[in-house]
Amino acid sequence: MRAVDLIRKKRDAGKHSREEIDFLVSGYTRGDIPDYQMAAWLMAALLRGLNHAEISALTEAMLDSGAVVDLSSLPGRKVDKHSTGGVGDKTSLILAPIVAAGGLTVPMISGRGLGHTGGTLDKLESIPGFNTSLSLEAFRRVLGECGMALIGQTAEIAPADKKIYALRDSTSTVENIGLICASIMSKKLAEGIDALVLDVKTGSGAFMQKEEDAVQLAEVMVETAQRMGKKSVALITDMNQPLGRMAGHSNEIVECIEVLRGTGPKDLRDLSVELSAWMFFLGERSASVEQGRHLAEKMINSGQALETFRKVIELQGGDPRIIDNTSLLPAARSQISVVSPHSGYIRDTNCMQFGIALAMLGGGREKKEDGIDHGVGLEFHKRIGDHVASDETLVTVHYNSEAKLKEATALIAASFEIGEQAPPSGPLIRLIIGGLPG
Amino acid sequence: MRAVDLIRKKRDAGKHSREEIDFLVSGYTRGDIPDYQMAAWLMAALLRGLNHAEISALTEAMLDSGAVVDLSSLPGRKVDKHSTGGVGDKTSLILAPIVAAGGLTVPMISGRGLGHTGGTLDKLESIPGFNTSLSLEAFRRVLGECGMALIGQTAEIAPADKKIYALRDSTSTVENIGLICASIMSKKLAEGIDALVLDVKTGSGAFMQKEEDAVQLAEVMVETAQRMGKKSVALITDMNQPLGRMAGHSNEIVECIEVLRGTGPKDLRDLSVELSAWMFFLGERSASVEQGRHLAEKMINSGQALETFRKVIELQGGDPRIIDNTSLLPAARSQISVVSPHSGYIRDTNCMQFGIALAMLGGGREKKEDGIDHGVGLEFHKRIGDHVASDETLVTVHYNSEAKLKEATALIAASFEIGEQAPPSGPLIRLIIGGLPG
């Protein structure tokens, strides 16, 4: 088998066998296939497409490039959730304590923020002392002690994905559903889980802005998980505005604690409960999603979920006092309001722009190497459908530097569409794909 | 400007400006743009296509990556011919002496054979002592003394093409009309010529097997030449069977000498005269193609063309005695006949297979680094439309090693289609594109 022939095959819209995909991925990971051949193949795959069998083979080959975390020493079912990312999307830090408190194991390997989206690891690191770089041994220990643990990708997990992703980033071959699916699923399936709940965002703040693209990605991911013997469901959820009131890092931790206390914004609580309910159902902890919902509510109302969050912070080296005293979290020095230019109803937002504005203020990265200011953030006072008066505050901007402040606030102001008529209201959860035992 | 954005643009079927093409080609040639980004762009360009303006810009950027040979010290018009290659295609070595003898300058920079096709340089090097690696200074001197010279590509000529071609070869991005055109034309226009005659082959022994592809390539090449102020014409010619009776190296030299003596096979002589006639016309040495034809015939019949060939061999260090004594050329030790399995008419041939069989016997390369056996060759006794008796010889195989002899002869035998009905005969020159002053 020769890489040049496989490139030609995909170029001419051919379908690869599992052996051919294995040859490409293992050869590239070992360094036998050079970057330039992989780059040509990636572009051919992006433009010609990959079918479901090819995507499964690619996912599996990338998974097999590294180790699968062995969680067999831990009792019970292991479940996780993956979100395709958005602005203010912090459900991981709410549902993991809920589901762990409810008796399942949640081995969560997360990523960092890039571009307009936040990353779970970055949010956690706003907690003083919190260590997201545990060894696999420590990861297992924390999981055993509190039912959840939160770490970053290790060198053992899907090294092929790491290498291929870097190449895709520099060759404009990111935006392909098959390649995206394989990248996500190879890492998630390496967690040694039994079931996976997917939150596929769609709307102006999502990678998949069009619902049809989100649905297609969701279908491919659910099918890939099921082919590999994992239970899976995907919720297509709205990302036309930030989730919850907070976007940033330490302010999102504060909001998670609020939801775990039984307060916090309704949209964030509802979605966290719904995703938890599906995790309970697929993890066979509840006989139905409805029962899972009740269990999730119980874990919040009893305070057990909050105690699990406190415990995991402690076990991973963080300061657990932040649970009761959020002023221990980093905060920005200054605040400024973005106000409404006139009265009316908020009809829509260009949600991605909020993420970009946050990054401008230091709360996001343009390049992987960039640092993060955990204290800066945006606080949203109004949601789509709300009425605002002229000069009423839309967003409070928490900032440390005035460097790009003007640019950022202008961007935020321009991202609201305010009109005379209230817009029709849409559901937060738009569609559910999969979910039946695969 | 960033390469990653230009890759994205072409991926999304965008059209590049001249500045964008320049950025890519000059950046890649300098080494600022890595192989993997160029590979991704090449695949996107192959699958999305390049329009005529982009192809012109690419040709010019590749031409500008190196030097244009300065032939201003030589009087008169400079003309050349380029063929897309085939089996037994040896017209360069016939028409260059004809056209040089007729008063024009033919600065021919040629390539080597690869795959199933032969290369002019390889054929020349079967002449003992012939040096195809002249310095540009020596090239100009030989041109001044006999009106023609034959060398290989130098480091000064279109270095971008050299680098890009190697990458295309290993990333399956060769087969695109725009990329092929730019590669050919950037080298040919670097010869400092005033006019260029193109022989675009089509049929089972050509790179462009379908006539429509050949026509499209011819149109793009003629237009590109004309945009750059050169006169140009393309002849679409038949390559469903070998040109002439001989395929190999030294045996093709012998056949060229025969045609220059006024004998030799009709198809080879006709095409050589026709291409020479167009060179005379575009080089303003004749008022019409018809007059060019007469001039070409005159150069053959008077012996002047053969004398020019003798002179160029001598000037480039070769043994001129081969003109009168072809036994001084390398010859294979053994011969074997491939015979017809039954009587009938030759209806068609799979011409590319002859080239592959010849390469198997050592008369061609699979990789650029491979050596060549100049003595081996195929001698074709029958042409499409000829009647053959059972057991009559179709091809005499001249070989040195028995290593792949069986495989090669079987391939040759399987490449003839013999049936009861004579096939309809088609013209050697199928179509003429361009030719009017651009």
Side-chain angles (χ1 to χ4, degrees):
Chain A
M1 220 179 278
R2 297 190 314 162
V4 66
D5 299 324
L6 300 185
I7 298 167
R8 177 184 305 267
K9 186 174 189 179
K10 184 45 74 185
R11 181 197 78 184
D12 296 341
K15 301 298 168 205
H16 288 304
S17 68
R18 179 166 286 267
E19 290 67 35
E20 290 172 347
I21 298 265
D22 280 347
F23 175 85
L24 281 171
V25 172
S26 62
Y28 182 59
T29 310
R30 275 198 311 272
D32 294 347
I33 294 175
D35 284 340
Y36 56 83
Q37 287 191 317
M38 196 62 180
W41 182 84
L42 286 167
M43 183 57 80
L46 184 143
L47 289 173
R48 292 303 201 178
L50 297 168
N51 67 18
H52 285 206
E54 289 174 311
I55 296 167
S56 285
L58 186 60
T59 305
E60 222 167 316
M62 281 160 62
L63 174 61
D64 290 345
S65 73
V68 172
V69 182
D70 180 6
L71 299 180
S72 58
S73 62
L74 299 173
R77 301 257 157 190
K78 289 91 193 172
V79 296
D80 194 12
K81 181 227 61 162
H82 176 80
S83 164
T84 58
V87 178
D89 179 15
K90 56 194 80 74
T91 62
S92 289
L93 300 180
I94 300 167
L95 61 83
I98 290 174
V99 174
L104 294 172
T105 299
V106 187
M108 205 169 247
I109 300 180
S110 301
R112 299 194 177 275
L114 195 64
H116 75 285
T117 66
T120 299
L121 296 184
D122 298 318
K123 293 170 193 175
L124 283 168
E125 288 173 358
S126 69
I127 301 172
F130 198 100
N131 178 13
T132 60
S133 310
L134 303 186
S135 69
L136 285 185
E137 195 43 51
F139 182 56
R140 261 190 295 264
R141 198 175 59 241
V142 174
L143 276 174
E145 289 190 40
C146 73
M148 66 174 287
L150 296 145
I151 61 167
Q153 204 185 335
T154 70
E156 295 98 328
I157 302 289
D161 174 65
K162 207 164 191 174
K163 195 169 175 188
I164 292 172
Y165 192 84
L167 188 63
R168 285 168 62 204
D169 197 39
S170 60
T171 56
S172 290
T173 51
V174 170
E175 297 90 341
N176 173 273
I177 280 173
L179 299 175
I180 293 170
C181 171
S183 175
I184 293 172
M185 298 303 282
S186 64
K187 285 177 290 192
K188 282 287 151 182
L189 296 175
E191 291 174 346
I193 49 176
D194 301 299
L196 181 63
V197 174
L198 296 160
D199 181 3
V200 181
K201 303 287 189 194
T202 184
S204 63
F207 281 111
M208 300 283 150
Q209 305 210 339
K210 284 188 251 171
E211 185 167 322
E212 67 206 65
D213 292 339
V215 168
Q216 216 193 326
L217 176 61
E219 284 173 348
V220 166
M221 289 201 292
V222 167
E223 195 193 301
T224 301
Q226 291 179 348
R227 274 181 188 237
M228 299 182 72
K230 313 298 176 188
K231 292 186 176 184
S232 187
V233 69
L235 278 62
I236 308 289
T237 70
D238 185 82
M239 188 34 77
N240 278 308
Q241 61 184 330
L243 187 65
R245 286 165 59 96
M246 302 294 190
H249 291 87
S250 61
N251 66 346
E252 292 197 32
I253 297 287
V254 174
E255 196 168 49
C256 290
I257 294 169
E258 285 170 11
V259 172
L260 289 171
R261 281 198 193 286
T263 59
K266 183 178 180 320
D267 64 327
L268 178 60
R269 178 187 167 108
D270 286 354
L271 183 57
S272 301
V273 165
E274 203 60 26
L275 293 167
S276 301
W278 274 101
M279 290 170 81
F280 282 134
F281 175 56
L282 296 188
E284 298 177 18
R285 185 66 188 79
S286 68
S288 65
V289 180
E290 180 58 26
Q291 284 184 23
R293 230 169 260 136
H294 290 306
L295 184 53
E297 299 281 1
K298 194 177 146 195
M299 290 304 112
I300 295 173
N301 296 337
S302 66
Q304 288 171 268
L306 187 64
E307 287 316 301
T308 299
F309 193 39
R310 191 196 303 270
K311 193 162 179 194
V312 78
I313 292 172
E314 194 169 2
L315 288 169
Q316 293 197 220
D319 184 346
R321 294 175 301 160
I322 63 123
I323 296 287
D324 300 311
N325 181 6
T326 54
S327 72
L328 294 169
L329 290 165
R333 283 185 297 275
S334 313
Q335 299 183 9
I336 192 173
S337 293
V338 174
V339 300
S340 179
H342 52 80
S343 73
Y345 290 94
I346 298 183
R347 294 188 53 81
D348 206 353
T349 79
N350 188 339
C351 182
M352 185 180 287
Q353 310 269 46
F354 297 134
I356 293 169
L358 180 63
M360 278 179 190
L361 297 170
R365 315 181 160 78
E366 273 179 59
K367 289 169 296 178
K368 278 181 199 167
E369 311 77 55
D370 295 347
I372 285 269
D373 183 338
H374 292 103
V376 301
L378 306 181
E379 185 179 352
F380 298 90
H381 301 282
K382 299 289 174 182
R383 298 188 62 72
I384 292 174
D386 286 353
H387 189 271
V388 284
S390 183
D391 281 333
E392 194 178 350
T393 298
L394 294 168
V395 178
T396 304
V397 178
H398 300 252
Y399 67 97
N400 279 318
S401 155
E402 299 202 2
K404 292 191 179 173
L405 183 63
K406 250 193 181 152
E407 206 181 332
T409 54
L411 193 60
I412 292 166
S415 302
F416 285 93
E417 188 190 323
I418 296 167
E420 288 187 11
Q421 300 284 324
S425 68
L428 179 58
I429 297 170
R430 296 197 190 177
L431 211 62
I432 294 173
I433 288 162
L436 298 176
Chain B
M1 222 180 277
R2 297 190 313 161
V4 67
D5 300 324
L6 300 184
I7 298 167
R8 176 183 306 267
K9 186 174 189 178
K10 185 44 75 184
R11 180 197 80 183
D12 298 339
K15 301 296 167 208
H16 288 305
S17 68
R18 177 167 289 266
E19 290 68 34
E20 290 171 346
I21 299 264
D22 280 347
F23 175 84
L24 281 171
V25 173
S26 62
Y28 182 60
T29 310
R30 274 198 311 271
D32 295 346
I33 294 175
D35 284 341
Y36 57 82
Q37 287 191 318
M38 196 62 180
W41 182 83
L42 286 166
M43 182 58 79
L46 184 143
L47 288 173
R48 292 303 202 179
L50 297 168
N51 67 18
H52 284 205
E54 289 174 311
I55 297 168
S56 284
L58 186 61
T59 305
E60 222 166 317
M62 283 160 61
L63 174 62
D64 290 345
S65 73
V68 172
V69 182
D70 181 7
L71 298 180
S72 58
S73 62
L74 299 174
R77 300 255 156 191
K78 290 92 194 175
V79 296
D80 194 12
K81 181 227 59 161
H82 177 80
S83 164
T84 58
V87 178
D89 179 15
K90 54 194 83 72
T91 61
S92 288
L93 301 181
I94 300 167
L95 61 81
I98 291 173
V99 174
L104 294 172
T105 299
V106 186
M108 204 170 248
I109 299 180
S110 300
R112 297 194 178 274
L114 195 63
H116 75 284
T117 65
T120 299
L121 296 184
D122 298 317
K123 293 170 192 175
L124 283 168
E125 288 173 358
S126 68
I127 301 172
F130 198 100
N131 177 15
T132 59
S133 309
L134 303 185
S135 70
L136 286 184
E137 195 44 51
F139 182 57
R140 261 189 294 264
R141 197 177 57 241
V142 174
L143 276 173
E145 288 190 42
C146 73
M148 66 174 288
L150 296 145
I151 61 168
Q153 204 183 335
T154 70
E156 296 98 326
I157 301 289
D161 174 65
K162 207 164 191 173
K163 195 170 175 187
I164 292 171
Y165 192 85
L167 188 62
R168 285 168 62 205
D169 196 38
S170 58
T171 56
S172 289
T173 50
V174 169
E175 298 89 342
N176 172 273
I177 280 173
L179 299 176
I180 293 170
C181 171
S183 175
I184 293 172
M185 298 303 281
S186 64
K187 285 177 290 194
K188 281 288 152 182
L189 297 175
E191 291 174 344
I193 49 177
D194 301 299
L196 180 63
V197 174
L198 297 159
D199 181 3
V200 181
K201 303 287 188 193
T202 184
S204 64
F207 282 110
M208 300 282 150
Q209 303 210 340
K210 284 189 251 170
E211 183 167 322
E212 66 205 65
D213 292 340
V215 168
Q216 216 192 327
L217 175 61
E219 284 173 347
V220 166
M221 289 201 293
V222 167
E223 195 193 302
T224 301
Q226 290 179 346
R227 273 180 188 236
M228 299 181 72
K230 313 297 175 190
K231 291 187 178 184
S232 186
V233 70
L235 278 61
I236 309 290
T237 69
D238 185 82
M239 188 35 76
N240 279 308
Q241 62 184 329
L243 188 65
R245 286 165 57 98
M246 301 295 189
H249 291 87
S250 63
N251 66 346
E252 293 196 31
I253 297 288
V254 174
E255 196 168 49
C256 290
I257 293 169
E258 284 170 11
V259 173
L260 289 172
R261 281 198 193 287
T263 58
K266 182 177 185 314
D267 64 327
L268 177 59
R269 178 188 167 109
D270 285 354
L271 183 56
S272 302
V273 166
E274 203 60 25
L275 292 167
S276 301
W278 275 101
M279 291 170 80
F280 282 135
F281 176 56
L282 296 188
E284 299 177 17
R285 184 70 186 77
S286 68
S288 66
V289 181
E290 181 58 28
Q291 284 186 21
R293 231 170 259 136
H294 290 307
L295 183 54
E297 299 281 2
K298 194 177 146 196
M299 290 303 112
I300 296 173
N301 297 336
S302 66
Q304 288 172 267
L306 187 65
E307 287 316 302
T308 299
F309 193 39
R310 190 196 304 268
K311 192 162 181 194
V312 78
I313 292 171
E314 193 168 3
L315 288 168
Q316 292 197 223
D319 184 346
R321 294 175 302 161
I322 62 123
I323 296 287
D324 301 310
N325 181 4
T326 54
S327 72
L328 294 169
L329 291 166
R333 282 184 298 274
S334 313
Q335 298 182 11
I336 191 173
S337 292
V338 174
V339 300
S340 181
H342 51 81
S343 74
Y345 290 95
I346 298 183
R347 294 189 53 82
D348 206 353
T349 80
N350 188 340
C351 182
M352 186 181 287
Q353 310 269 49
F354 297 134
I356 293 170
L358 179 63
M360 279 180 189
L361 297 169
R365 314 182 161 78
E366 273 179 57
K367 288 170 297 174
K368 278 182 199 167
E369 310 78 53
D370 295 346
I372 286 268
D373 183 338
H374 292 103
V376 301
L378 307 180
E379 185 178 352
F380 298 90
H381 300 281
K382 300 288 175 182
R383 298 188 60 74
I384 293 175
D386 285 354
H387 189 272
V388 282
S390 184
D391 282 331
E392 194 177 352
T393 298
L394 294 168
V395 177
T396 303
V397 178
H398 299 254
Y399 67 98
N400 279 319
S401 154
E402 299 201 359
K404 292 191 177 171
L405 182 62
K406 250 192 182 153
E407 207 181 331
T409 53
L411 192 61
I412 292 165
S415 302
F416 284 93
E417 188 190 324
I418 297 167
E420 290 188 11
Q421 301 286 323
S425 69
L428 178 59
I429 297 170
R430 296 198 191 176
L431 211 63
I432 294 173
I433 288 163
L436 298 176

